[in-house]
Every structure is written in structure tokens, then in C-alpha cells.
Amino acid sequence: MSEGVDPSTTGEAADLGTVFLVGSGPGDPDLLTVKAARLIESADVVLHDKLPGPEILGEIPAEKREDVGKRAGGEWTPQEYTNRRLVELAREGKSVVRLKGGDPFVFGRGGEEAEHLADAGVPFEVVPGVTSAIAGPAVAGIPVTHRDHASSVSFVTGHEDPTKEESAVDWDALAATGGTIVVLMGVGKLPAYAAELRDAGLAGDTPVALVERATWPGMRVATGTLDSIVEVRDEAGIEPPAITVIGDVAAARDRVVEFLRNDGGRGDDA
Ligand code: SAH
């Protein structure tokens, strides 16, 4: 790549830049991988949404950031735009970081972007990150598996309408496994899938925890049961981004919270 030369003015085709699909971790800059931090530093452009959180985004110089998340007015940037922009920047010879919250391949549309880049013949690299699906519960004192309480864990999207006939999530099957259920994007539809799980036979006193803005400044944790959690959510005013943890492990928080220090005193019970 020729440094500082704008290929559009030289008439030469630029070498293709590389796109790095990078996970930022849940939001605490200390939980960025060393590789993610290095790539953010050296990138020409960082395309991001809001999920990496205020601290990580705040450290990236404004002139190399492009926000492809929710726009003012609440509209999402269309995925097609992001796909197109990634290819366009790579063809300009840029080193591009596509920064996503958590891990880029966990509910982050990273898979679609990788396919799009491959189709366009753009070289890319995947840089895994610490997913909020595990780190969110962890910093709240909740192990997603536990020798005595859960020998499996399922990661599911709560974005789907669970009552729609072709729901992609089989809540009945999840209720039957007896393992931990971790729901991402599950604040809004909590009442629907809580009811679905109860109808499928999960006990009403099953512990449930909500971890809001895990590792961000102002992180909050709210706990209850399958029966009470909607009320708990409403009283605490829990908002996205938040993780819902359903299963016996959610009660583990109560057993350790007094001595839990790994969130640096950020964690606050809602
Ligand atoms: N790729 C991301 C998930 C993207 S889907 C990852 O691996 O973490 C978006 C959902 O992730 C949010 O709705 C929320 O459920 C969850 N999430 C991401 N960051 C979070 C955080 N810091 N605290 C709580 N939930 C978070």
C-alpha cells in the first residue's frame, strides 16, 4: 500500500486493503484483546455501532470513526450499506476495522459480512472478542455453567417474536434441556419468552438475572425469578443492551456478591 497517496488521483489501482472483523469485548477497554487494541490503533478507518460502548469508542479519534449503527431518529443503518462501505474502503487500499461489540460472530451479523467480503474478493481477518453472552453474566458473579447447577448453556436471540409460528428459537426444547439459557437482545420481548418458557414447563421460581451495560460505566444487575422478572425489569427500568440469564446459576450471584470485586465496584444492583 503506497503511503499517503490517494489512488483515485494517481490513476493506478490501489492494492486491496484488508478488513478486520474485530470483537471489542463487552465494553471495558481492559477487555479488548491485545490484537483488537493494536488493530484499532493502526487502522485507517473504524466502522462501528454503539455496542463497543462509550469508553472504547471514546478513545478512537473521531476522524477515523464511522458510525454504522442506529442513526439519529432510531433508524438502523441498512446492512447493505455497511457491506458496500467495507468493500469500497478495502478497494481504496484502506486498512479497515469493522468493530463489533463482544465477539463478531455471535449475533453480530459478522457471518454475513464475512460472506459478503469473500464474494467481493476482499481479504479479511476475524478477530474474536470476549462475548457479552459469557462475560456479562460473569462480571455479575454468574458462571454460565456450574458443576452442580448447569452442564450446558444455550445462547439465543430474544429479538424474535416467540409466539410467531415459525419462531427460530425452540423455547419448548430449551425449557426441557435444564441448562442455562442466555438471551441476547432480550429486554423488549422478555414478557413473551418468559411466558413461553413457563408454558413449556420451566418452574416459575427458576432464577433469572438481567445484566445491563455489562462492564460499562453504570452497569446494573437485577435479579428475580421467571415469575417476577418482568416486574423487576419494569421497576428497575432495565434497558438494552442487557443480557438475560435464566437458570439455577443465576442464583449463584447471591452467594458471591458480597465479595465480588472483579467489576471494580461498577456493578450496582438495580
Ligand atoms: N456480538 C455481541 C452480541 C451482539 S447482539 C457479543 O458477542 O456480545 C446485541 C446484544 O448483545 C444486546 O442486545 C445485548 O443483549 C448483548 N450485549 C452486548 N454488549 C452488552 C453489554 N455490555 N452488556 C449487556 N448486554 C450486552
Side-chain angles (χ1 to χ4, degrees):
M1 201 189 321
S2 46
E3 247 175 61
V5 178
D6 180 356
S8 62
T9 60
T10 62
E12 289 168 28
D15 289 338
L16 275 179
T18 300
V19 174
F20 298 90
L21 300 173
V22 179
S24 72
D28 178 349
D30 282 356
L31 292 176
L32 275 168
T33 62
V34 173
K35 188 164 185 173
R38 179 166 56 75
L39 287 168
I40 291 169
E41 178 76 31
S42 65
D44 297 312
V45 190
V46 178
L47 258 71
H48 66 88
D49 46 50
K50 296 283 188 294
L51 218 50
E55 292 181 296
I56 290 173
L57 295 176
E59 285 174 15
I60 305 171
E63 59 276 12
K64 73 175 188 187
R65 291 210 264 129
E66 279 186 32
D67 190 344
V68 289
K70 221 170 232 172
R71 292 182 163 165
E75 292 281 294
W76 285 96
T77 303
Q79 185 64 42
E80 298 69 43
Y81 172 85
T82 306
N83 291 349
R84 212 175 336 112
R85 187 75 185 128
L86 288 172
V87 172
E88 190 175 81
L89 288 164
R91 288 190 176 148
E92 287 171 15
K94 301 261 167 50
S95 166
V96 187
V97 163
R98 171 67 175 108
L99 189 65
K100 292 167 168 293
D103 181 274
F105 276 8
V106 177
F107 295 121
R109 305 193 73 167
E112 289 162 66
E113 288 173 17
E115 285 164 28
H116 186 81
L117 292 166
D119 284 349
V122 171
F124 69 95
E125 193 174 326
V126 183
V127 181
V130 176
T131 181
S132 68
I134 297 174
V139 298
I142 300 168
V144 291
T145 69
H146 188 298
R147 213 176 141 82
D148 300 329
H149 304 289
S151 50
S152 70
V153 53
S154 303
F155 302 110
V156 300
T157 169
H159 196 60
E160 294 255 332
D161 183 350
T163 56
K164 88 173 184 205
E165 256 175 42
E166 295 292 306
S167 173
V169 179
D170 187 340
W171 296 99
D172 288 7
L174 287 172
T177 64
T180 305
I181 305 167
V182 175
V183 189
L184 289 87
M185 299 174 280
V187 176
K189 298 218 163 69
L190 177 65
Y193 64 81
E196 201 78 12
L197 286 169
R198 244 188 343 245
D199 290 350
L202 204 61
D205 62 0
T206 303
V208 182
L210 299 169
V211 188
E212 179 193 62
R213 285 175 287 160
T215 81
W216 295 22
M219 160 180 163
R220 295 192 303 162
V221 183
T223 55
T225 63
L226 203 50
D227 281 338
S228 71
I229 198 66
V230 174
E231 209 178 307
V232 168
R233 175 201 68 174
D234 293 344
E235 271 176 16
I238 298 289
E239 288 183 5
I243 297 285
T244 311
V245 195
I246 304 166
D248 288 340
V249 290
R253 173 176 173 79
D254 299 337
R255 295 193 288 272
V256 300
V257 72
E258 193 185 337
F259 293 98
L260 181 67
R261 294 290 179 272
N262 77 312
D263 60 1
R266 291 164 169 216
D268 193 13
D269 271 33

